[in-house]
Amino acid sequence: MTPREEDADARQYFDEHYEVIAHYPLVAPRPILLPLDNPDRRQCRFCGRDTTQAKFKNDAHAVSNLLGNQSLFSLNECNDCNTTLGQNYEDQLGKWSNLARAVARVAGKKKKKPKFKGDDGLVVEAVESGLSIHVPYPHSPDELLAKGGPEEIELTGDTSSQPHVPIRAAMALVKIACSVCPTADITQCQNAIDWLMGRRQLRLSQFPVHVAVTPGPINENANEVVILRRTGDAAEPYLWSVVQFCNFRFQVFVPGCPSDEFWYKEGSNRPVAFKHYPSRFGPDWPFGPTRFYWGDWSGQEPVKTSAKVTFRVAKFIGVTRPELRSVVSAPALPLPG
């Protein structure tokens, strides 16, 4: 199918099978506070403690600020759980996504500019003028630019991520879904919450994480989170969470929902539909169509992943050669690859 046909098919599928139950921007003029689960008292939806047993003084980001969330906060997460979940899971997601965040110039905590460092000296850093690429020795900017000229360049060097545990990075995405899910459906997230908190095990032979990459000049105004709920009884996940951060997007289902037991239980051979949510940018995006991928993030041992990254340069600023390392600086538009 053509990109336009694929987009129309995906939109029809999700219109017929799902409804949006939560949709929030991650960058807004004012903070967005998700409502209390219990209007009579503040209570953590992860550990169950209230203000008489735990502190709620920290700003609990409903979506990790690693992914550009500056505005969306949860009132249903205590200080201890916020710290523990961040250390156990968000740190792993940060190690996986470091290059993506640097390429897309996703502002993190306190709007800090992201920076990627490869083991061989490759450095990709967001700067005010665009993107700065430090080419590792023995490579040179001349080699990098020769592949496509100033209009298009491909990263030369080690693009491997930091070592991370895939299932723990995936659990950071599940935690986002559990944080943003409306109170009316939070019971559907309880098994996943117990899994995050170590109170139960979920046996997963695979854990699919969908990733989408859209080329072009996309800024933080695109950052958003969407929660989708199944409307029928077909063999497909009851809850999906979709998080867009500039040029990149994660899509993950919430495991262990009671409404999924008829297909999710161990030993079930019923085929399940896992489909990509349509791109918010549509098939006619002038810089090229969104590319969709999926990976199995069920691994429990540390791994490093690498990616081929190509840029279309909007404006070429220049090259410098300090000692043996060189720098290319340009507002770059990431292309999928």
Side-chain angles (χ1 to χ4, degrees):
M1 290 192 292
T2 66
R4 183 172 293 181
E5 291 171 336
E6 291 176 347
D7 181 77
D9 180 70
R11 290 181 188 278
Q12 181 179 354
Y13 170 82
F14 279 95
D15 285 345
E16 293 177 352
H17 293 256
Y18 285 88
E19 61 180 337
V20 175
I21 59 172
H23 184 188
Y24 296 101
L26 303 185
V27 180
R30 297 181 181 85
I32 301 171
L33 304 179
L34 296 177
L36 290 169
D37 289 335
N38 186 339
D40 297 325
R41 62 191 177 111
R42 195 168 180 180
Q43 186 174 10
C44 180
R45 62 169 52 175
F46 293 96
C47 68
R49 296 182 298 171
D50 61 21
T51 53
T52 66
Q53 303 162 307
K55 294 181 180 179
F56 292 80
K57 293 184 178 180
N58 295 346
D59 291 332
H61 288 76
V63 175
S64 174
N65 53 17
L66 287 170
L67 304 183
N69 176 27
Q70 300 175 22
S71 304
L72 187 62
F73 299 94
S74 173
L75 296 176
N76 304 303
E77 185 175 335
C78 72
N79 292 4
D80 291 340
C81 288
N82 180 249
T83 299
T84 299
L85 294 168
Q87 293 175 344
N88 288 346
Y89 308 125
E90 290 179 7
D91 181 60
Q92 300 295 310
L93 182 63
K95 291 176 179 177
W96 182 94
S97 62
N98 187 211
L99 178 59
R101 290 183 287 110
V103 165
R105 294 183 288 163
V106 179
K109 190 174 183 179
K110 296 182 180 179
K111 296 187 177 182
K112 183 179 180 180
K113 299 290 186 181
K115 184 176 184 179
F116 171 84
K117 294 182 179 181
D119 289 341
D120 62 352
L122 171 68
V123 178
V124 180
E125 183 177 9
V127 294
E128 290 301 323
S129 59
L131 202 64
S132 176
I133 304 171
H134 297 249
V135 182
Y137 179 82
H139 302 289
S140 73
D142 302 311
E143 176 187 345
L144 183 146
L145 295 172
K147 295 182 179 181
E151 295 79 19
E152 188 169 305
I153 61 176
E154 180 181 323
L155 277 188
T156 301
D158 182 10
T159 62
S160 298
S161 69
Q162 299 177 50
H164 63 281
V165 179
I167 191 60
R168 289 187 171 270
M171 291 169 83
L173 299 174
V174 173
K175 187 267 179 184
I176 290 172
C178 294
S179 293
V180 180
C181 181
T183 303
D185 274 294
I186 196 59
T187 55
Q188 294 288 334
C189 297
Q190 192 57 55
N191 288 334
I193 289 174
D194 289 343
W195 178 49
L196 293 171
M197 298 300 294
R199 295 189 291 258
R200 70 171 296 156
Q201 295 294 318
L202 294 179
R203 297 181 181 179
L204 305 168
S205 58
Q206 287 190 333
F207 196 91
V209 174
H210 295 62
V211 180
V213 185
T214 304
I218 300 173
N219 61 29
E220 62 185 16
N221 292 328
N223 296 0
E224 64 182 0
V225 59
V226 180
I227 305 295
L228 304 162
R229 179 176 62 197
R230 192 184 67 224
T231 55
D233 293 325
E236 53 212 355
Y238 183 74
L239 291 174
W240 281 111
S241 173
V242 180
V243 182
Q244 181 82 35
F245 56 111
C246 294
N247 300 79
F248 298 87
R249 194 186 77 186
F250 288 124
Q251 176 184 334
V252 67
F253 78 102
V254 177
C257 291
S259 293
D260 287 336
E261 286 184 352
F262 65 95
W263 65 262
Y264 185 76
K265 64 183 179 181
E266 187 177 1
S268 173
N269 294 319
R270 187 172 183 180
V272 183
F274 291 99
K275 293 184 179 290
H276 289 286
Y277 191 58
S279 169
R280 63 166 288 165
F281 304 99
D284 299 320
W285 181 244
F287 300 95
T290 298
R291 303 286 182 89
F292 299 95
Y293 311 89
W294 82 274
D296 177 14
W297 288 26
S298 62
Q300 301 195 30
E301 297 296 328
V303 298
K304 298 174 70 174
T305 58
S306 60
K308 177 182 176 181
V309 181
T310 304
F311 303 95
R312 186 178 295 127
V313 180
K315 181 180 179 182
F316 185 77
I317 295 174
V319 176
T320 60
R321 292 177 170 81
E323 300 178 356
L324 295 178
R325 180 178 292 176
S326 301
V327 179
V328 176
S329 182
L333 314 181
L335 299 177

